[in-house]
C-alpha cells in the first residue's frame, strides 16, 4: 500500500501489541524519518524512543517531535508526522499522534509524539468510515484533492482548516473556532501541517508537480500555500 492509499484506510490506533518491533523494522522506520521532507527552512528533530521513557503512551514505541515554538515550526512537525503516520499505516503498523502522552523527561523543545507499534485493530474500509466535515464545508472546490485532504486527522477531530483552490496553488487556511482553540491550542498549527501533507500527496496522485510548500502569516492568519504545476 502507498502512503496515498493509506489516507483512505488509516485510523488513530489506541490498542497495541506490547512486544517491541525488531531491529530491522525499527531501522526501516528510522530510514523513513531520515527521508521525510521538512518544510523550507525547518529543522525539526524526530527521535524513536521506547515506551519505558514515556507516560500515557499505549504503544511499545513512539517518535518524539522537537522544534521551535512558532506556527511554521509546529506546522512542520505536523507535516512530518503526517508523512510518518501514513508510512507506518501503509506498512501495516498502528500509529497515533498524542498530545496527552509525554516523555518522562521532555527536552525543552519537545512538542508532541507519534505512538506506534503492532496492532490487531482493523484498518478502515473507506471514506464512509471517517467522521469528518463535508467537502463543501472545508473547500471552495469539490475535487479529488479536497476529498482526500478532508480525511486528515486533527486534535479532538476539530478540523481547523479551509482549502482554497486557485490557479497554480492550494492554500490551507487555519480557521480557529473558540472551543477548538481553547482545547487544542497550539496543536491546531500541527493540524494545519498534517492536512498540508495530505494536499501534497493528493496533488501528486492527480499527476501535479508540487513546486513549493510555504507557511505564511501567524496566529489566526496562519496558512500554508502549496504551489503546483501540471505534471
Ligand atoms: C495534534 C493531535 C493530537 C492528538 N492527541 C490525542 C490524544 O492525546 N489522545 C488521543 O486519544 N487522540 C489524540 N489524537 C487523535 C485524534 O483524536 C484523532 O486523530 C481524531 O479524532 C480523528 O480520528 P482518526 O485519527 O481515527 O481519523 C490527536 C490527533 C492530533 C492530530
Amino acid at each position: 500500500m502507498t502512503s496515498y492509499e493509506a489516507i483512505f484506510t488509516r485510523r488513530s490506533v489506541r490498542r497495541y501489541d506490547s512486544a517491541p518491533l525488531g531491529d530491522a523494522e525499527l531501522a526501516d522506520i528510522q530510514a523513513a524519518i531520515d527521508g521525510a521532507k521538512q518544510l523550507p527552512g525547518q529543522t525539526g528533530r524526530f527521535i524513536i524512543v521506547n515506551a519505558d521513557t514515556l507516560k500515557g503512551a499505549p504503544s511499545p514505541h513512539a517518535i518524539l517531535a522537537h522544534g521551535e515554538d512558532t506556527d511554521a515550526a509546529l506546522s512542520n512537525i505536523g507535516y512530518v508526522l503526517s508523512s510518518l503516520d501514513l508510512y507506518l499505516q501503509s506498512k501495516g503498523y498502528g500509529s497515533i499522534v498524542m498530545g496527552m502522552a509525554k516523555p518522562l523527561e521532555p527536552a525543552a523543545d519537545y512538542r508532541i509524539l507519534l505512538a506506534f507499534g503492532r496492532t490487531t485493530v482493523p484498518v478502515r474500509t473507506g471514506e464512509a468510515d471517517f467522521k469528518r466535515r463535508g467537502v463543501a464545508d472545508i473547500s471552495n472546490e469539490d475535487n479529488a484533492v479536497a476529498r482526500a485532504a478532508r480525511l486528515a486527522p486533527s486534535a479532538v477531530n476539530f478540523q481547523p482548516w479551509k482549502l482554497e483552490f486557485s490557479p497554480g496553488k492550494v492554500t490551507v487556511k487555519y480557521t480557529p473556532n473558540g472551543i477548538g482553540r481553547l482545547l487544542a491550542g497550539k496543536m491546531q498549527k500541527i493540524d494545519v501541517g498534517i492536512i498540508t501533507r495530505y494536499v501534497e500527496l493528493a496533488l501528486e496522485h492527480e499527476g501535479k508537480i508540487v513546486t513549493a510548500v510555504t507557511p505564511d502569516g501567524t496566529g489566526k492568519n496562519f496558512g500554508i500555500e502549496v504551489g503546483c504545476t501540471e505534471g
Side-chain angles (χ1 to χ4, degrees), residues 10 12 14 97 99-100 124 132 153-155 157 187 191 194:
R10 69 156 291 287
S12 288
R14 297 180 175 82
V97 180
M100 300 303 280
R124 288 181 162 127
R132 294 292 190 268
S154 54
N157 207 19
M187 283 197 268
D191 295 340
I194 291 175

Side-chain angles (χ1 to χ4, degrees), residues 210-230:
V210 172
T211 50
V213 184
T214 317
D216 187 35
T218 53
K220 279 197 249 179
N221 298 317
F222 182 69
I224 301 184
E225 280 187 16
V226 185
C228 60
T229 55
E230 296 300 325

Side-chain angles (χ1 to χ4, degrees), residues 131-155:
K131 271 198 208 146
R132 294 292 190 268
R133 293 163 63 186
V135 173
D137 199 20
I138 65 143
S139 174
N140 70 335
E141 279 185 20
D142 185 342
N143 58 35
V145 174
R147 284 195 292 276
R150 73 178 266 276
L151 304 179
S154 54

Side-chain angles (χ1 to χ4, degrees), residues 109-125:
D109 65 347
Y110 168 76
R111 300 293 162 229
I112 202 156
L113 62 77
L114 178 70
F116 69 94
R118 257 182 226 108
T119 186
T120 51
V121 175
V123 294
R124 288 181 162 127
T125 51

Side-chain angles (χ1 to χ4, degrees), residues 10-14 85 89 95-101 112-113 124 129-132 151-159 161 184 186-188 190-191 194 198:
R10 69 156 291 287
R11 67 164 79 243
S12 288
V13 171
R14 297 180 175 82
D85 174 64
Q89 300 224 7
S95 54
I96 179 172
V97 180
M98 284 200 112
M100 300 303 280
I112 202 156
L113 62 77
R124 288 181 162 127
D129 231 4
F130 286 78
K131 271 198 208 146
R132 294 292 190 268
L151 304 179
S154 54
V156 202
N157 207 19
F158 276 126
Q159 306 160 70
W161 45 54
K186 291 179 180 181
M187 283 197 268
Q188 295 201 326
I190 296 176
D191 295 340
I194 291 175
Y198 274 53

